[in-house]
Amino acid sequence: MAPHPFDQLSLEETQRARDLILKLHPNTAIFFRYIFLEEAPKGEIKKYLEAEHAGKDPEPLNRRAMVLYDVIDSDKIPVYNESVVDVTSGKRLDHKVVGKEFHASLTVPEFRQLVQAVEKSDMFKKCLEEYQLPEGYELVVEPWPYGGLLPGEENSRYFQGLCFAQDTRSNNPDSNFYSFPLPFIPVMDASTQEIVRVDRLATGGKGDPMEPESHPRNPVDHCTPSEYVPELLPNGPRKDLKPLDVVQPEGPSFKITNDSLVEWQGWRFRVSFNPREGAVLHDLHFNGRSVMYRLSFSEMTVPYADARYPFARKQAFDFGDGGAGTCANNLSLGCDCLGVIKYFDSVVTDAEGKPEVASNVVCLHEQDNGIAWKHTNWRTGRAVVARNRELVVQFIITLANYEYVFAYKLDTMGGINVETRATGIVSVVNIDPGKQSDYGTVVSEGALAQNHQHIFCIRIDPAIDGHNNTAVIEESHPVAMNDKTNPRGNYYEVIKTPIKNSRWLDADIASNRVVKIQNTSKTNPISGRPVGYKFAPMATQLLLADKNSVQAQRALFAQHHVWVTKHQDGELYAAGRYTLQSTREEGGLADMVARNDNTENEDIVVWATFGLTHNPRVEDWPVMPVEIHELKIRPADFWHENPAIDLPTNKNQASRLANGDSCCSTNGADGANGHHVA
């Protein structure tokens, strides 16, 4: 059976792509970065899907692979290449040697190179000689992307290492080294794999100079340990929390076909996974009707607000710089997901391009999310209530100190929640004893957690009963009292404005601004309005860096809540394809909008930006409780009634009273929930 166009590359397909690149570059050293599915042009896939949903056998599409790799020249200088190859025919379809003004996404082997360079560097050893770590403490180097180049910097490929000391006396490799930040950052030039500079860090507080001053010989003498692994907690984990199990005695309600097609409670969609975006949902249908062509997490940026050198460059693009998918966790049964779980694997490659399976990078499961709908007839006392069951598609990434939990949550009412959860360990720098700072919060003695933001962007490629859709801004405004339209002052008007050309817009709580994505050629037979889906832009704070700063110029997508663009193949990334060390967003949302394309009754893409301004608190230490944000996408005049009105309303027989007695035998005057008792 031929692979579906949305299926990720198999091990065999990945191997064929690797072998083709090696054949095209004979007698040349190749450093492979990533090999993953290059989706066929949307026009081709649309024809395939039309046949598939019509019950016909679609004509198989040739499979394409995107191969990202360095060609090492005679001077051992890597030259970054991108090739699209047809793994079905064995031909190269496209090839580009990327200009040196752009940098390829980083890889784990490059991070290892930084650590090795630090170990060999005489410059860094000389820096270390100025300090004396306590007995039993060892140096830990945490690799980081370099960030945006500052004015005057040479555009070489750099990596930096945040440094910490780890207490090894417990013989536990998970002892929390972040409690002991060191006041220097080594910088490596990737072309030579040598340390070219060691930046010294200021450790003062309010009113102190922004430049570094002399440090004590033991720079962590005032720092205190803060552990999080259970065996190192002073009193161990709490003992009075009893089990709460998710039990599905009849199994799950979902069905999986060919390890990618998911069917559940009217939903039908496919799951794929790639190194940059992580998990992606494709071809979403609900009750047989098309809703979306593609749904993905496009980008996120994390700019830090410490004004001292060199922290203006401390800004990660966690999808573009290194790839969310490359940092995906192997999810644990019974920990990251509960209930009856379906795991999805992915295929990754090493520096030689050899493919291997990355296990359990996505988990799929059902969960209860409280009440879906309820009504009590006060005349009879009868209550009818249905539970809100959700299907969760989740992946988790670890990026040095931080973890992010990304989830698509589909419900029985036709809604989709796109959720982010930020957790992990806040990034800290050393601060002198007894001092406070305007740049962050002292979360542990000697550890300053710097203020920063996390700004995400969701890419919505809608297909509301077809691919030609229109985004409409709907606002509710007060109307002054007048004799003609509002004689008693209680009326407000709803204003609907179609977005006719590509543009951006921001959230507006005062007008209850909502974005509706409609198919204006299809009308709801009851309301008479176009069928559609809607979401309220999340009124979270946008990027705070000055608009002329490097931080702001390289993250233009983070300066508005919603962007509406016309679809073009390959435009998947809100901040553009190349973010590593960028100084300006190239090919991102600002450039897409600048085309001023027609977006009325067209194949459009809607991008939703939101985020967290994180001014840390002591309670974020040593591991931060999750900060949750959800983009809620809901049907709007898409159905003829509540599509979940037929949910079972049976009483949960496993529930019982806390004192051990049996649960109440009646629910209102008519007995069991939702059922009339004769």
Side-chain angles (χ1 to χ4, degrees):
M1 184 175 178
H4 192 277
F6 291 135
D7 287 348
Q8 58 186 326
L9 295 180
S10 66
L11 286 167
E12 294 76 14
E13 290 174 322
T14 306
Q15 181 71 39
R16 288 203 297 272
R18 169 191 182 269
D19 293 345
L20 179 56
I21 292 299
L22 291 176
K23 183 179 179 181
L24 291 167
H25 297 276
N27 305 316
T28 305
I30 301 293
F31 176 86
F32 284 92
R33 295 184 174 276
Y34 303 113
I35 303 175
F36 57 95
L37 177 71
E38 170 76 359
E39 294 173 22
K42 190 174 183 179
E44 294 181 19
I45 296 181
K46 282 164 61 175
K47 293 177 182 178
Y48 182 100
L49 296 177
E50 287 170 5
E52 179 185 38
H53 291 296
K56 302 175 183 178
D57 290 329
E59 186 72 25
L61 299 181
N62 282 16
R63 301 277 284 167
R64 306 175 183 211
M66 172 66 78
V67 188
L68 312 181
Y69 58 100
D70 291 345
V71 175
I72 312 301
D73 65 18
S74 57
D75 295 325
K76 296 185 178 181
I77 302 297
V79 179
Y80 179 48
N81 286 241
E82 296 179 349
S83 288
V84 177
V85 300
D86 186 325
V87 296
T88 306
S89 67
K91 297 179 180 179
R92 180 155 66 181
L93 305 178
D94 188 37
H95 175 233
K96 177 170 64 173
V97 177
V98 179
K100 293 186 177 180
E101 68 272 22
F102 299 116
H103 292 276
S105 298
L106 57 85
T107 63
V108 173
E110 288 180 299
F111 273 176
R112 295 195 185 102
Q113 291 170 4
L114 169 66
V115 175
Q116 294 166 359
V118 168
E119 292 172 349
K120 295 185 295 184
S121 170
D122 291 336
M123 181 187 298
F124 187 76
K125 289 176 183 176
K126 186 176 180 181
C127 170
L128 273 186
E129 289 173 357
E130 301 174 18
Y131 303 95
Q132 182 175 2
L133 299 182
E135 184 176 351
Y137 283 69
E138 293 182 353
L139 173 73
V140 175
V141 179
E142 185 94 298
W144 260 65
Y146 188 71
L149 294 171
L150 299 179
E153 284 193 277
E154 182 183 351
N155 187 23
S156 187
R157 185 178 178 88
Y158 299 112
F159 292 98
Q160 61 181 338
L162 309 188
C163 294
F164 303 88
Q166 185 175 35
D167 186 352
T168 65
R169 293 173 298 178
S170 66
N171 294 317
N172 190 319
D174 292 310
S175 179
N176 184 15
F177 56 81
Y178 293 105
S179 298
F180 304 98
L182 297 172
F184 43 78
I185 294 177
V187 176
M188 181 188 78
D189 187 325
S191 63
T192 62
Q193 296 183 26
E194 294 181 353
I195 300 302
V196 295
R197 189 174 74 249
V198 179
D199 289 333
R200 308 304 179 101
L201 307 182
T203 58
K206 292 182 179 180
D208 289 336
M210 297 180 71
E211 295 73 29
E213 298 181 310
S214 61
H215 299 121
R217 183 148 174 77
N218 181 353
V220 296
D221 186 52
H222 60 301
C223 299
T224 56
S226 304
E227 302 293 357
Y228 64 92
V229 294
E231 65 271 21
L232 293 181
L233 296 177
N235 300 312
R238 63 183 69 178
K239 309 293 192 298
D240 59 348
L241 189 63
K242 297 182 179 180
L244 194 162
D245 296 325
V246 177
V247 179
Q248 296 178 271
E250 299 179 18
S253 298
F254 55 77
K255 175 185 175 184
I256 310 295
T257 306
N258 296 331
D259 220 38
S260 67
L261 176 62
V262 180
E263 296 172 276
W264 176 83
Q265 295 300 299
W267 283 105
R268 184 186 191 275
F269 60 93
R270 293 184 181 270
V271 179
S272 74
F273 194 88
N274 67 68
R276 179 151 179 167
E277 299 164 292
V280 178
L281 303 191
H282 305 267
D283 192 29
L284 290 90
H285 281 65
F286 187 62
N287 288 341
R289 295 172 63 185
S290 174
V291 175
M292 290 185 192
Y293 177 77
R294 197 178 192 274
L295 180 63
S296 63
F297 293 91
S298 177
E299 189 55 90
M300 64 174 293
T301 188
V302 186
Y304 281 77
D306 192 329
R308 300 170 296 182
Y309 178 85
F311 298 119
R313 69 167 189 253
K314 190 176 180 182
Q315 178 185 20
F317 288 77
D318 292 319
F319 286 66
D321 283 356
T326 63
C327 305
N329 292 185
N330 183 326
L331 304 177
S332 301
L333 187 66
C335 295
D336 297 305
C337 313
L338 301 180
V340 180
I341 311 299
K342 163 64 183 175
Y343 289 110
F344 297 90
D345 299 335
S346 182
V347 174
V348 296
T349 54
D350 62 15
E352 296 180 354
K354 296 177 180 177
E356 61 182 35
V357 172
S359 300
N360 302 351
V361 293
V362 179
C363 67
L364 180 143
H365 63 103
E366 296 173 280
Q367 69 182 20
D368 179 272
N369 192 16
I371 292 173
W373 58 262
K374 177 176 181 175
H375 179 65
T376 300
N377 186 334
W378 66 268
R379 295 168 181 82
T380 65
R382 180 180 179 184
V384 182
V385 57
R387 302 294 299 180
N388 184 12
R389 183 84 63 93
E390 293 178 327
L391 184 69
V392 182
V393 182
Q394 176 177 283
F395 67 104
I396 303 173
I397 65 175
T398 298
L399 300 157
N401 53 300
Y402 257 113
E403 267 78 15
Y404 297 95
V405 184
F406 297 104
Y408 307 99
K409 299 161 64 175
L410 297 86
D411 64 38
T412 55
M413 297 161 282
I416 307 170
N417 286 357
V418 186
E419 181 184 88
T420 64
R421 297 186 179 215
T423 181
I425 299 177
V426 290
S427 185
V428 295
V429 294
N430 196 292
I431 186 171
D432 297 340
K435 294 185 178 180
Q436 295 179 326
S437 175
D438 291 327
Y439 304 128
T441 303
V442 178
V443 292
S444 179
E445 186 65 32
L448 174 70
Q450 294 164 306
N451 297 336
H452 58 285
Q453 294 182 280
H454 309 254
I455 303 179
F456 306 89
C457 188
I458 309 301
R459 183 181 184 274
I460 304 166
D461 191 338
I464 308 298
D465 271 346
H467 294 278
N468 286 354
N469 294 163
T470 302
V472 176
I473 304 171
E474 181 179 283
E475 299 176 340
S476 300
H477 289 273
V479 174
M481 190 180 297
N482 66 86
D483 293 339
K484 185 176 181 180
T485 64
N486 195 16
R488 282 162 286 279
N490 61 309
Y491 167 68
Y492 65 86
E493 64 177 338
V494 179
I495 300 175
K496 302 172 184 178
T497 307
I499 297 177
K500 297 183 178 182
N501 297 91
S502 54
R503 58 167 289 190
W504 55 260
L505 61 138
D506 291 326
D508 184 3
I509 296 174
S511 67
N512 190 47
R513 181 172 288 168
V514 169
V515 175
K516 288 188 173 180
I517 307 170
Q518 297 179 332
N519 186 329
T520 56
S521 67
K522 302 286 181 69
T523 302
N524 185 292
I526 298 174
S527 69
R529 295 172 176 169
V531 298
Y533 265 67
K534 71 170 186 176
F535 68 90
M538 296 175 64
T540 58
Q541 196 163 33
L542 294 165
L543 190 71
L544 288 170
D546 186 279
K547 294 191 183 303
N548 294 314
S549 68
V550 173
Q551 277 195 357
Q553 286 296 306
R554 64 198 302 252
L556 300 177
F557 83 92
Q559 299 178 32
H560 297 290
H561 288 116
V562 178
W563 305 72
V564 179
T565 64
K566 185 176 180 179
H567 177 273
Q568 285 196 9
D569 287 333
E571 287 189 338
L572 300 175
Y573 312 129
R577 181 178 292 274
Y578 309 105
T579 62
L580 191 71
Q581 290 184 209
S582 63
T583 56
R584 188 189 183 282
E585 183 180 293
E586 299 278 354
L589 286 175
D591 288 340
M592 298 179 207
V593 163
R595 293 196 301 259
N596 198 34
D597 293 329
N598 176 37
T599 56
E600 190 172 24
N601 195 29
E602 291 280 359
D603 189 354
I604 62 171
V605 179
V606 180
W607 314 68
T609 300
F610 58 91
L612 160 68
T613 297
H614 191 185
N615 304 325
R617 57 200 175 114
V618 175
E619 290 84 355
D620 289 329
W621 188 259
V623 177
M624 167 186 165
V626 292
E627 288 276 357
I628 304 173
H629 289 80
E630 279 190 332
L631 181 71
K632 300 181 179 183
I633 308 170
R634 297 288 182 267
D637 296 307
F638 199 67
W639 304 106
H640 64 281
E641 64 176 358
N642 176 359
I645 201 67
D646 61 346
L647 281 176
T649 55
N650 299 329
K651 184 172 66 175
N652 182 276
Q653 298 298 326
S655 298
R656 57 190 176 88
L657 295 177
N659 61 15
D661 294 342
S662 60
C663 189
C664 49
S665 59
T666 62
N667 183 355
D670 269 333
N673 173 37
H675 298 276
H676 181 74
V677 177

